[in-house]
Amino acid sequence: MISLMVAHDPNRVIGIDNELPWHIPADLAYFKEQTIGKGIIMGRNTFESIGRPLPKRRNIVVTRNDDYQAENVDVVHNLQDAIKLAKEFHEEVMIIGGEQIFSSVLDDADRLYITLVHQAFEGDTYFPEYGREWKLVSESEQQISNEVPFSYLVYERRKKKKDHA
């Protein structure tokens, strides 16, 4: 199963200047809870914004730079190799960003873990549009952390209807 994990505002903003536009400690705890023990796939910019491999997870970094190296992470050069490595670690593959990775894999994803930030922020990176092919299966009550209102949403891909030609 391929899952995308993201926090975005009402305009689908996910970042600015390679950083999160908000600081929501409760969401960081939720992220850890959902990803611990799993393979996490991220682009190089996302990895560098985090600044270190995340513990108790298989960290897989996708980059086009053939010379890129980082300690205690698997560096691959395409999403297919990243997904294969992550599936060896756990059946649920967690894609954690950034914009290019999300856009490349959204059509193959099975589940979306979305922290919806109920406040607009300035940003330069966005989560791709997602719509009718997704069914909301879980929604938390709205919460506030660090003066930022948010809620957790989980979507699963709707089953495609069989074509009876």
Side-chain angles (χ1 to χ4, degrees), residues 44-56:
R44 180 186 52 79
N45 286 339
T46 298
F47 174 69
E48 289 178 354
S49 74
I50 294 169
R52 63 184 171 81
L54 296 174
K56 300 181 182 172

Side-chain angles (χ1 to χ4, degrees), residues 63-78:
T63 180
R64 289 185 289 267
N65 180 343
D66 290 333
D67 299 324
Y68 188 78
Q69 296 179 3
E71 283 190 39
N72 301 314
V73 301
D74 294 300
V75 176
V76 298
H77 305 292
N78 64 65

Side-chain angles (χ1 to χ4, degrees), residues 8-69:
H8 71 68
D9 80 352
N11 300 312
R12 295 186 336 280
V13 166
I14 61 173
I16 187 166
D17 298 328
N18 207 30
E19 293 185 9
L20 292 173
W22 47 74
H23 179 65
I24 305 174
D27 184 50
L28 298 176
Y30 178 72
F31 174 88
K32 181 178 181 180
E33 176 186 312
Q34 296 302 321
T35 61
I36 213 94
K38 298 177 184 174
I40 56 173
I41 297 173
M42 66 200 97
R44 180 186 52 79
N45 286 339
T46 298
F47 174 69
E48 289 178 354
S49 74
I50 294 169
R52 63 184 171 81
L54 296 174
K56 300 181 182 172
R57 287 156 273 208
R58 184 173 192 171
N59 290 253
I60 303 165
V61 176
V62 181
T63 180
R64 289 185 289 267
N65 180 343
D66 290 333
D67 299 324
Y68 188 78
Q69 296 179 3

Side-chain angles (χ1 to χ4, degrees), residues 9-152:
D9 80 352
N11 300 312
R12 295 186 336 280
V13 166
I14 61 173
I16 187 166
D17 298 328
N18 207 30
E19 293 185 9
L20 292 173
W22 47 74
H23 179 65
I24 305 174
D27 184 50
L28 298 176
Y30 178 72
F31 174 88
K32 181 178 181 180
E33 176 186 312
Q34 296 302 321
T35 61
I36 213 94
K38 298 177 184 174
I40 56 173
I41 297 173
M42 66 200 97
R44 180 186 52 79
N45 286 339
T46 298
F47 174 69
E48 289 178 354
S49 74
I50 294 169
R52 63 184 171 81
L54 296 174
K56 300 181 182 172
R57 287 156 273 208
R58 184 173 192 171
N59 290 253
I60 303 165
V61 176
V62 181
T63 180
R64 289 185 289 267
N65 180 343
D66 290 333
D67 299 324
Y68 188 78
Q69 296 179 3
E71 283 190 39
N72 301 314
V73 301
D74 294 300
V75 176
V76 298
H77 305 292
N78 64 65
L79 270 171
Q80 294 77 18
D81 289 346
I83 290 168
K84 183 178 175 186
L85 280 176
K87 282 185 176 176
E88 291 173 2
F89 197 70
H90 192 279
E91 67 181 40
E92 185 174 24
V93 174
M94 304 299 285
I95 311 287
I96 65 166
E99 180 178 15
Q100 290 180 5
I101 301 288
F102 285 141
S103 294
S104 297
V105 78
L106 181 63
D107 287 343
D108 298 319
D110 304 294
R111 181 177 291 156
L112 306 176
Y113 294 91
I114 295 175
T115 300
L116 180 58
V117 178
H118 299 281
Q119 178 180 330
F121 284 82
E122 291 292 319
D124 57 18
T125 51
Y126 297 84
F127 192 71
E129 287 190 38
Y130 53 100
R132 299 175 71 103
E133 70 270 22
W134 295 98
K135 177 183 178 185
L136 182 64
V137 296
S138 173
E139 182 174 8
S140 74
E141 294 287 325
Q142 184 170 308
Q143 304 172 50
I144 296 178
S145 179
N146 211 22
E147 299 184 19
V148 179
F150 66 96
S151 54
Y152 301 121

